[in-house]
Amino acid sequence: MMKKSKTSVFLLAPFLIVVLIYELLPLGQLVLNSFLQKKNHTITLEYYIRIFTTPVYLQAIQNSIRISLISALIGLSVAFFAGKAYFESDGKLKQFFYLVLNMTSNFSGVPLTFAFMILMGNTGVLTLLLQKTGLGGDFNLYSGNGLLLVYIYFQIPLATLLLLPAFLGLKKEWREAATILNASSFSYWWKIGIPNLLPSILGTFVCKRLGCLCNGVCVDFE
Amino acid sequence: MKKKKKKASILLLLLLCVYLLLPFAVTLVYSLFTEWTGILPSGFTLRNYKLLFFDAEFWMSLMRTMLICIISVVASITTLLLAMYVVVVEYPFLAKYIQFICMIPYALQGVILSISIVSLYSGTGTLFSNRMLMLFGAYGVLVLPYIFQGIRNNINAINTQMLMNAAKMLGCSPLKAYFKVVVPNILPGIFVSSLLSVSVIFGDFVLANNIAGNSYQNIQVYLFRKLSISSGLSSAVVVVIFLMVFLMTGMVLLLQGIHQKKEKNNGVYRD
């Protein structure tokens, strides 16, 4: 028995060491530092008070929450209809769509931002096209709304991928029963489909908002 | 009625495909022409790609990215496989703690992870203040959620306890049974999740820029520096990165498909 637990410790050690050095210690230090007054080493809530009373920080937090809320809501709505359409269709297109979802969800950061700059930046292809045809408004990619657009773009594939498994949980019999009871397609989704998907939708929503709050690349640029 | 609905679904999927692929399509066209100020681009050229492929710096960045992918992913897999032995053989209750630790990086993402690592170790003068080592460690942690899920799903799928018992009955020690029977059986499945991790590292800019910056320039940092110099060249880099991610994703899906078919034929089910 003694020997057994020795092997266990020995085998667990590399994982624990790596995680401790590169995940737990840095995070712990980050949390600790946020409560520590640097000059005289006392515990303080000063930094937190400052964040919530300084207009610049407050504005930054508000902006983050606004963008993450709106983009997650829009991303999820599109993901819902995309998921529905995915299970109603079949064949090559379905496979291709799945491939596109996977590819674009892995693709973010600098390349994505650059692609959007080419498409809709100040001299972007779409911007010029809209100006020439006289349809162009005064859309500016390097603004809050521009940032929102990029976020919505990269929310859609991820949200759809996360929602697809939930659609598998909707049983065919429910749909049949609803049809027999004379329910319209809308009332089926409103009263049966969506309530059953809700746990996954909310999970995806929280996940997406987290991702949004923590993702910094696109913000750096804009 | 039903046909109409199907058509609407197909239309929606098609529209979404176009929408999602539009930025890349435009970048591809942009990289192949000298001028695009009218409705149609003009002046077809391969100059951007020629410049890119003759740039030694580009190849160095690509090699660095590959190296960092391989080392971090292999390190992550090795440490987790060792740790999972303890879960499988001795203390199953540890699984949920390991899972929790592995899921933290998923919620944190780049900025917080990189800042906390840099602020803890930089300027300490120890081995840990080496920027390269920091980056390797950070990537190793970043891919933990993907690797963990891959390993756990595969361990659940192959009926590990039965295999372990069978091997033990034939006289294997638990250690030998795990590494000679269980691990070889789950390796193909882990390969899929490691490809996924590679594409995550490939797509990362925040960690590389915050931690290493110019001292260990990967492909995304290279792209970032080229952005201010030439948009044509940058678009070519974006196309190359996209094609590599495309290839990796395609391979993951293909392998997953094969894996699932095999499972169906063998009558093994996932829980």
Side-chain angles (χ1 to χ4, degrees), chain B residues 45-115:
Chain B
T45 174
L46 286 173
R47 200 181 59 111
N48 290 323
Y49 290 93
K50 228 188 224 161
L51 270 175
L52 186 65
F53 292 139
F54 281 109
D55 185 5
E57 212 186 325
F58 166 74
W59 291 109
M60 285 303 286
S61 314
L62 199 63
M63 302 275 262
R64 283 196 204 102
T65 311
M66 293 289 190
L67 184 72
I68 209 163
C69 284
I70 293 169
I71 293 183
S72 320
V73 171
V74 168
S76 219
I77 291 177
T78 319
T79 52
L80 255 181
L81 272 182
L82 292 178
M84 285 310 272
Y85 166 82
V86 181
V87 173
V88 168
V89 177
E90 281 168 51
Y91 306 108
F93 73 94
L94 281 177
K96 55 176 186 274
Y97 299 107
I98 292 185
Q99 177 173 19
F100 180 70
I101 291 174
C102 288
M103 285 305 152
I104 294 176
Y106 191 67
L108 286 182
Q109 306 276 345
V111 182
I112 301 177
L113 190 66
S114 59
I115 287 178

Side-chain angles (χ1 to χ4, degrees), chain B residues 110-132:
Chain B
V111 182
I112 301 177
L113 190 66
S114 59
I115 287 178
S116 58
I117 290 177
V118 169
S119 77
L120 183 61
Y121 297 119
S122 74
T124 52
T126 54
L127 177 68
F128 298 119
S129 65
N130 181 320
R131 294 275 165 165
M132 231 173 98

Side-chain angles (χ1 to χ4, degrees), chain A residues 1 4-5 7-12 14-16 18-27 29-30 33 78 81-82 84-86 88-90 93-104 106-112 114-119 123 125-126 128-129 132-133 149 152-153 156-158 160 162 175 185 189 207-208 210-211 214-217 220-221, chain B residues 5-6 8-10 12-14 16-17 19-24 26-27 30 36-39 79-80 82-83 85-86 89-91 94 98 100-102 104-113 115-117 119-121 128 133-134 137-138 140-141 144 175 179 196 199-200 203 205-206 209 220 223-224 227 231-232 234-235 238 241-242 245-246 249-250 253 256:
Chain A
M1 189 63 208
K4 213 172 156 190
S5 54
T7 351
S8 293
V9 171
F10 184 68
L11 290 176
L12 260 180
F15 173 72
L16 288 180
V18 170
V19 167
L20 202 67
I21 294 178
Y22 292 105
E23 182 184 324
L24 301 178
L25 276 182
L27 279 184
Q29 179 252 10
L30 200 70
N33 265 354
V78 176
F81 287 106
K84 203 165 152 279
Y86 179 80
E88 276 165 10
S89 60
D90 42 29
L93 180 67
K94 194 174 174 179
Q95 281 173 4
F96 181 70
F97 182 64
Y98 192 66
L99 182 72
V100 171
L101 279 184
N102 271 289
M103 259 157 40
T104 43
N106 278 337
F107 201 75
S108 58
V110 190
L112 177 67
F114 180 72
F116 262 89
M117 278 155 72
I118 287 186
L119 193 63
T123 53
V125 173
L126 205 62
L128 290 179
L129 196 71
K132 280 209 172 125
T133 48
L149 194 82
I152 291 171
Y153 174 86
I156 290 175
L158 267 175
T160 313
L162 286 170
R175 184 75 201 244
S185 183
W189 280 108
C207 205
K208 291 296 89 219
L210 261 180
C214 298
N215 191 306
V217 183
D220 276 350
F221 280 89
Chain B
K5 213 163 144 194
K6 213 172 161 190
S9 303
I10 290 173
L12 180 67
L13 291 191
L14 269 177
L16 273 174
C17 283
Y19 172 70
L20 289 174
L21 290 176
L22 186 67
F24 311 113
V26 171
T27 313
Y30 191 89
W36 194 354
T37 47
I39 289 175
T79 52
L80 255 181
L82 292 178
Y85 166 82
V86 181
V89 177
E90 281 168 51
Y91 306 108
L94 281 177
I98 292 185
F100 180 70
I101 291 174
C102 288
I104 294 176
Y106 191 67
L108 286 182
Q109 306 276 345
V111 182
I112 301 177
L113 190 66
I115 287 178
S116 58
I117 290 177
S119 77
L120 183 61
Y121 297 119
F128 298 119
L133 200 65
M134 262 193 235
V141 168
L144 276 180
L175 208 62
F179 287 106
L196 199 67
S199 67
V200 167
F205 168 74
V206 181
N209 194 46
Q220 297 242 351
L223 169 63
F224 184 64
L227 277 184
S231 59
S234 310
S235 56
V238 171
I241 295 180
F242 181 64
V245 172
F246 177 91
T249 316
L253 291 180
Q256 269 173 348

